[in-house]
Structure formats: structure tokens, C-alpha cells
Amino acid sequence: MVLSNKKIAVLSGKGGTGKTLVSVNLAASAKDAVYIDCDVEEPNGHLFLKPKDIESEPISIKIPSVDKSLCDGCRKCVDFCKFNALAYIYNRLIVFEEVCHSCGGCALFCPKNALSEKEKTIGEVQKGVSENVSVITGILNTGEASGTPIIKKLMNEASTLKEPTFIDCPPGSACIVMDSIKDADYCVLVAEPTLFGVHNLNMVYELVKLFNKPHGVILNKCLESENPAEKFCIEKGIKILGKIPFDNQLGILNSNAKVAVRENEEYKDIFSTLLQKITKEVLV
Amino acid sequence: MKQLLILSGKGGTGKTTIASAFIKLSEAKAFADCDVDAPNLHLIMSQSQDYKRTDYFGLPKANINTDLCIQCDQCRQNCRFDAINVDNFYTVSDHACEGCGVCEVICPEGAISLKPAVAGDLMLYIDNAVFSTAKLRMGSGTSGMLVTEVKKQMKSYAVDTELAIIDGSPGIGCPVIASLSGVDMVLIVAEPSISGINDMERIINTAEKFKTKTAVCINKYDTNIENTEKIMAYCHRLNLPFIGKIPFDKKAVEAINNGLSIVDIDCIAGNETKKVFEATLNLLSED
Ligand code: SF4
Ligand code: SF4
Ligand code: SF4
Ligand code: SF4
């Protein structure tokens, strides 16, 4: 059984639940795989996989640029811009680049053709290789408001791939997450055994239901004590793919940015079993 | 009223755990949860069950009147967000539409108008304290604007208090930028892992842009002493006040699962958090 060109999205309602741990180790457990880090604000997968031969490509958006000699100060563009990214002050048009959504409207509607668009780099996509895994990472520059253009680029890339692809999604359930799961064949939800964990799991669960995506849950950091997230899955009839125990050894490997399955037989078993389980789910 | 914002660069570091402990310790009369994508603070702040709920209107979304549409395709060609779908009719996908208004202006038939759309819920709890929180509806963008509303709502209700505590949102994007504006101090909760250090550096860069007073503490510091030392050295190099280390504590998980904050029970994590709290107050009162 092989996953070939299937896309597995790994989600969690919040950061810190082990989303990167799961997606990195699943990718490392597969024969050949692609790991895509869509958590563009905090891309951390590359810290674990330490890819080599990195090529990077800047990602830019279009923002307006004004030709002062043509602008007559009619303020049509200022009135049009829904995001208040333009102001006409002291006989000068000012663009607030951070809030511009690059809709292109101002340039389109300027009666004097005084506005044109220029490229502004907001981040980059890096590609490299780590043993059996091709690593593709999206990185948003600090201070930029939206990573959506980078995720769109990553997802276009993903649509051309032949290998099974593991998508490390941004945390939460906002629009940026939707962009990263839109084309996924299967969603893996990672949950922590706490009350917060349940609350966060519920959010991504609502999201995958909305998108009608087949899905299952991996319970992470499991302790001996009662697991509210497990209870939630049983009550809602959500498939539990497996459990990852909380243990110090894994914690240390993880906090030192080591790929657990490459260091330790026990984790190799845990993640191969999870991968087989997911493969079965995806291929039915 | 001074505003303290708690940030972590990433969820899961225990930011909300620490925020709730600080709220208890300071008996804060005003506090807010700015993590509008995944608010959690209400789960452990034992406020009363009633709150005032208001619709949050984000940007309006485009709507096509199919009776007027002549299928000229202008709107689809000019929408930068691929939000116009063509089936039998031209329609707008609510998830993708950013409400920019380009299609409305470009449509030759006046078939498109922007309609207000509810993008989230604002909640305000008022009993002996004011607690402002909100939840963005699924798939609504622009969480930054909602964060601004949450802070505004907190301040809309005048209370006599010296300290307001704001649980920030994870990440470095627009909601964080919105939560940073106007606060007096940022406390960064870092985690002693390689990725935690990476996240911390990014959030410090962001806070620097706002010239906000910033201090750092570490949660679960004993899970990796080496990285804890790295963080401390990093802070030292940047001249950032480092104000404490909180150990990993299974009792903390139990407290949260029982809807309590970690200073409500007797545990090491709670005791260390108290020290971090005092150091924070000292810094906050310095000018
Ligand atoms: S619409 Fe054109 S001419 Fe009018 S203020 Fe804007 S840039 Fe200037
Ligand atoms: S491109 Fe759109 S968002 Fe940007 S300034 Fe022009 S009208 Fe405003
Ligand atoms: S621009 Fe107006 S008339 Fe043309 S396809 Fe769009 S809605 Fe229809
Ligand atoms: S308002 Fe803007 S984003 Fe929405 S459909 Fe029209 S052009 Fe597209």
C-alpha cells in the first residue's frame, strides 16, 4: 500500500500540541515523502529536518506606487480602499504597505493612471532535502500581516507532487488554515489531553466537518490520568488513529530539534504504525 | 491603567496558564483574551455565565444579484482573491472574499453589492471584573480588527484599576500586531526548545518594532536546561530583562483540567509564577 500523490494535512487548534512533531515524523517514516511547512509565521519543521542544498525563492505581493506628477489629488483611490491603506495628506498620497491587501482596485480605478503596482517581498519559500524527505518551507517576514500569498504558492507547488505530502498547517481555524487544507485528501488532528486541548480540537473538528474532509485524531502527550480529549473523540465518534505517550525522552529529543524516528526504535514503531493506519484510512 | 500583554510567539507554551495566574494574583479588574482564533481564557476564569454578546461585523462581502448579471466575467477576471465562482451562475465564495470592493465597481450591470457579514462574536463579562473576549467565526479573515475590538471593549467599561492584563494571540501576524498596539509592557513566555527559541526571537523582533518594554520568562524550563541557558544568554546579550523560570509541573495540568489557575492550588509552578509576577510588576512600575 502506498500513498503516492496523497496529501495529508496535520492540524491542531493551537500551536504547541505536537503538530510539527507528528508531520515531521510521519514524513520521515515514509519511504519517500514531501514535508511542507505552511505554518509560515512560525515555520519550525526545518529545524528538525535540517534540509540540505537549500534553494530559496522570494515571494512578493503587489502594492501600489504613485506617480506624483500624474496624481491630481482627487482622492478616488483613498475613498475606494476598504482597508484604509491610502491617505492623501499634505498634497501627497501615502501608502500604508502593512495594511494593503493587494486587491489592485486603486490602480485599476485611478482616473489619472497615476497608480501602478510594484512588487514587495513578504517572505520566501525554501526547498531542500533531508534524507528521504523533500522539505518545503514557507517563511513570512516579521511585520507582514498575511501569509496567505505564501500558502497559495506552497499549495500550487503541492498540487504537482507525486510523493505523499505531509502538510504542517498553521495553528487555529482561520482562513489561512483553510487555504492549507483545501486540497488535502485526509486531515490528521493532533490533540493534547487537557481541557484546553478539547476546546482546540473541537475547533479544527468543526473545520474539517465544514470542508467534508476525512479525518482522524492523534492523541499526543498522553499521561496516565484521564484524557478529556479521548473522551471527546469517543463521545463524538471521531476516529482515534493512535496515542503518543508523554515521556521525557521524547520531550528532550523534541526540544533539541531531533527527528524522533531517526533516533529511536520505539518512536520509529509508533510512527510507522500511525502511518500505516493513516494509509489505510486514506486509501479506502 | 497600565496594560500588560502576555505573548509567546506560539501557542502551547503556557501563555494562557500564566495569564490566568497573573489575573488571579493581581485581582485584575480588567482583562482580555486576544486570541480570537482560539480563545481559552474563559475556560479557567470562573466568571459568571452571563455575558453581553455582540455581533462583530468584519468587512462586508460581495453579493451578486444573478437576475442582473449578464455573465460578462469582468468580476472574476479582476478579483485577486479568486472569490468569484462560475457554475450556472456567478456567485461569490464567502470564505475567499476579502470585501475589497473591486467587483462592485467593475460590474457594468451594477449586479454586485457589498453586504455586511457577521465575522465573529464579541463577549463581555461584567461582574466584579471586566473580561473581554471574542471568537472569530470559522474562515473569517482579518482577526486583527477583532483583536482591536476586544481591547476597545475592555476599555469601554470604566473600572478603577491600575493593571489590565491581556492574553495575546500566538504568532507574529496581524492579530499580534493589533494586540501590541498601545500596551505598556510585553511579557514573553518562552519554551526551552529549539523551536521555542526560534519563535521567541521572531516575537521579540516584532515587539521591538513597536518599541514596547519587553521581558522574558521561561515555562517548563526544566524540560531542557541547556536551552533554558541559551534563552537566558540571548536575553542577556540583547539586554532584555529575564524575569524567571517556571518548572514543568504535572499538577498544573490537573489544575487546568479542573478549571483552576495554577496559583489556586499549592504547587511549585504556581509558586514560581508568583515570583515572575512580582518581577513583572516591578518592571512595569519603572519608567
Ligand atoms: S485616484 Fe489617482 S489621481 Fe486620484 S488621488 Fe488617487 S492616485 Fe491621485
Ligand atoms: S491595492 Fe487595494 S488594499 Fe492596497 S491600497 Fe490599493 S485599494 Fe487599498
Ligand atoms: S461583472 Fe457583473 S455582470 Fe459581469 S459577470 Fe460579474 S456580476 Fe455578472
Ligand atoms: S469584493 Fe473583492 S474579494 Fe470579494 S469577490 Fe469582489 S473582488 Fe473578489
Side-chain angles (χ1 to χ4, degrees), chain B residues 22 25 185 243 271-285:
Chain B
F22 272 34
L25 290 170
M185 179 176 157
I243 57 169
N271 293 338
E272 292 306 311
T273 305
K274 283 179 195 155
K275 292 186 198 156
V276 174
F277 175 68
E278 273 158 33
T280 306
L281 284 193
N282 285 337
L283 264 177
L284 195 59
S285 57

Side-chain angles (χ1 to χ4, degrees), chain A residues 64 77 80-83 85-86 95 99-107 117:
Chain A
C77 55
F80 171 78
C81 180
K82 300 286 186 291
F83 309 102
L86 299 172
V95 183
V99 285
C100 171
H101 282 51
S102 307
C103 72
C106 54
E117 291 186 290

Side-chain angles (χ1 to χ4, degrees), chain A residues 42-94:
Chain A
E42 312 285 347
N44 283 332
H46 66 105
L47 300 172
F48 293 82
L49 290 161
K50 304 175 184 70
K52 297 197 175 68
D53 306 324
I54 291 176
E55 285 169 34
S56 51
E57 180 191 342
I59 304 296
S60 56
I61 55 168
K62 288 192 166 77
I63 50 156
S65 145
V66 65
D67 181 340
K68 268 186 250 152
S69 63
L70 294 175
C71 171
D72 69 358
C74 72
R75 288 194 168 84
K76 281 227 163 66
C77 55
V78 178
D79 294 340
F80 171 78
C81 180
K82 300 286 186 291
F83 309 102
N84 301 314
L86 299 172
Y88 194 82
I89 310 169
Y90 300 123
N91 296 322
R92 205 160 65 89
L93 185 70
I94 300 172

Side-chain angles (χ1 to χ4, degrees), chain A:
Chain A
M1 257 185 326
V2 275
L3 281 168
S4 63
N5 62 355
K6 297 291 185 212
K7 291 181 210 45
I8 318 294
V10 181
L11 295 154
S12 71
K14 263 214 169 144
T17 49
K19 196 168 47 58
T20 300
L21 170 87
V22 167
S23 37
V24 161
N25 282 287
L26 285 176
S29 302
K31 198 170 150 283
D32 298 299
V34 181
Y35 164 84
I36 299 188
D37 202 340
C38 281
D39 190 357
V40 297
E41 285 187 27
E42 312 285 347
N44 283 332
H46 66 105
L47 300 172
F48 293 82
L49 290 161
K50 304 175 184 70
K52 297 197 175 68
D53 306 324
I54 291 176
E55 285 169 34
S56 51
E57 180 191 342
I59 304 296
S60 56
I61 55 168
K62 288 192 166 77
I63 50 156
S65 145
V66 65
D67 181 340
K68 268 186 250 152
S69 63
L70 294 175
C71 171
D72 69 358
C74 72
R75 288 194 168 84
K76 281 227 163 66
C77 55
V78 178
D79 294 340
F80 171 78
C81 180
K82 300 286 186 291
F83 309 102
N84 301 314
L86 299 172
Y88 194 82
I89 310 169
Y90 300 123
N91 296 322
R92 205 160 65 89
L93 185 70
I94 300 172
V95 183
F96 299 100
E97 298 183 358
E98 293 75 27
V99 285
C100 171
H101 282 51
S102 307
C103 72
C106 54
L108 198 60
F109 302 130
C110 168
K112 299 282 171 199
N113 279 324
L115 288 169
S116 55
E117 291 186 290
K118 61 172 187 200
E119 303 276 327
K120 180 197 178 199
T121 305
I122 57 158
E124 62 181 9
V125 167
Q126 290 184 350
K127 285 188 211 167
V129 182
S130 164
E131 296 181 22
N132 61 322
V133 186
S134 305
V135 182
I136 308 180
T137 307
I139 306 167
L140 180 70
N141 291 346
T142 52
E144 294 300 335
S146 166
T148 305
I150 300 178
I151 297 204
K152 285 206 168 132
K153 168 82 188 166
L154 292 169
M155 290 301 104
N156 280 341
E157 198 92 22
S159 63
T160 64
L161 297 168
K162 299 276 176 296
E163 298 84 14
T165 302
F166 297 87
I167 304 170
D168 193 349
C169 296
S173 59
C175 50
I176 189 160
V177 184
M178 301 198 163
D179 289 326
S180 24
I181 67 164
K182 228 169 4 203
D183 302 318
D185 297 287
Y186 192 80
C187 292
V188 173
L189 317 179
V190 185
E192 283 190 350
T194 63
L195 209 58
F196 285 168
V198 175
H199 187 67
N200 302 334
L201 172 61
N202 189 29
M203 287 187 324
V204 273
Y205 172 59
E206 294 287 329
L207 182 73
V208 294
K209 274 200 307 188
L210 185 78
F211 275 76
N212 248 324
K213 295 280 174 193
H215 55 271
V217 171
I218 293 180
L219 299 166
N220 190 23
K221 303 186 193 171
C222 293
L223 295 162
E224 300 287 296
S225 48
E226 191 182 330
N227 186 337
E230 182 172 19
K231 230 170 94 193
F232 175 84
C233 291
I234 295 168
E235 269 165 26
K236 298 265 172 175
I238 310 170
K239 174 149 240 122
I240 296 174
L241 298 163
K243 291 186 187 180
I244 302 170
F246 176 90
D247 70 58
N248 289 332
Q249 211 189 346
L250 181 59
I252 294 277
L253 284 175
N254 210 27
S255 61
N256 285 327
K258 294 262 164 38
V259 179
V261 301
R262 289 181 183 167
E263 305 289 327
N264 176 311
E265 287 298 319
E266 190 189 329
Y267 299 120
K268 205 167 167 176
D269 286 346
I270 294 182
F271 281 98
S272 317
T273 314
L274 280 171
L275 184 65
Q276 275 167 20
K277 210 58 185 276
I278 292 166
T279 308
K280 237 185 256 158
E281 292 289 317
V282 175
L283 297 180
V284 287

Side-chain angles (χ1 to χ4, degrees), chain B residues 27-214:
Chain B
E27 295 170 18
K29 292 278 177 286
F31 50 98
D33 188 351
C34 283
D35 188 357
V36 298
D37 287 316
N40 266 340
L41 191 57
H42 63 282
L43 297 174
I44 34 173
M45 294 318 301
S46 37
Q47 64 277 352
S48 66
Q49 283 312 300
D50 7 298
Y51 51 84
K52 195 175 111 227
R53 196 199 68 84
T54 14
D55 282 335
Y56 159 69
F57 289 90
L59 286 167
K61 306 243 178 209
N63 188 283
I64 298 180
N65 180 340
T66 40
D67 291 340
L68 296 177
C69 172
I70 54 161
Q71 313 215 333
C72 71
D73 205 42
Q74 283 289 325
C75 54
R76 195 193 55 80
Q77 286 171 29
N78 285 286
C79 174
R80 289 269 173 93
F81 307 100
D82 296 326
I84 309 270
N85 296 329
V86 193
D87 249 328
N88 289 326
F89 298 107
Y90 276 73
T91 53
V92 178
S93 146
D94 272 356
H95 296 314
C97 176
E98 302 233 359
C100 70
V102 166
C103 56
E104 184 185 36
V105 178
I106 209 122
C107 174
E109 300 299 313
I112 305 183
S113 50
L114 292 179
K115 295 240 161 77
V118 177
D121 304 286
L122 275 153
M123 278 83 70
L124 186 64
Y125 296 85
I126 303 167
D127 31 39
N128 39 29
V130 176
F131 170 37
S132 173
T133 178
K135 171 88 184 77
L136 199 67
R137 295 221 175 147
M138 219 172 311
S140 303
T142 58
S143 44
M145 282 167 62
L146 182 50
V147 166
T148 307
E149 289 300 315
V150 169
K151 294 208 296 181
K152 223 196 261 166
Q153 181 174 256
M154 179 183 82
K155 282 185 272 176
S156 72
Y157 199 84
V159 278
D160 184 21
T161 182
E162 278 172 16
L163 178 67
I165 292 176
I166 302 167
D167 190 0
S169 32
I172 54 161
C174 63
V176 180
I177 293 171
S179 60
L180 266 165
S181 88
V183 303
D184 299 280
M185 179 176 157
V186 179
L187 174 65
I188 296 176
V189 181
E191 203 183 49
S193 64
I194 302 280
S195 41
I197 295 174
N198 200 43
D199 298 337
M200 177 190 73
E201 289 175 7
R202 284 165 75 86
I203 192 71
I204 288 172
N205 284 338
T206 309
E208 249 171 18
K209 292 204 168 122
F210 285 79
K211 312 228 177 320
T212 316
K213 189 191 281 184
T214 305

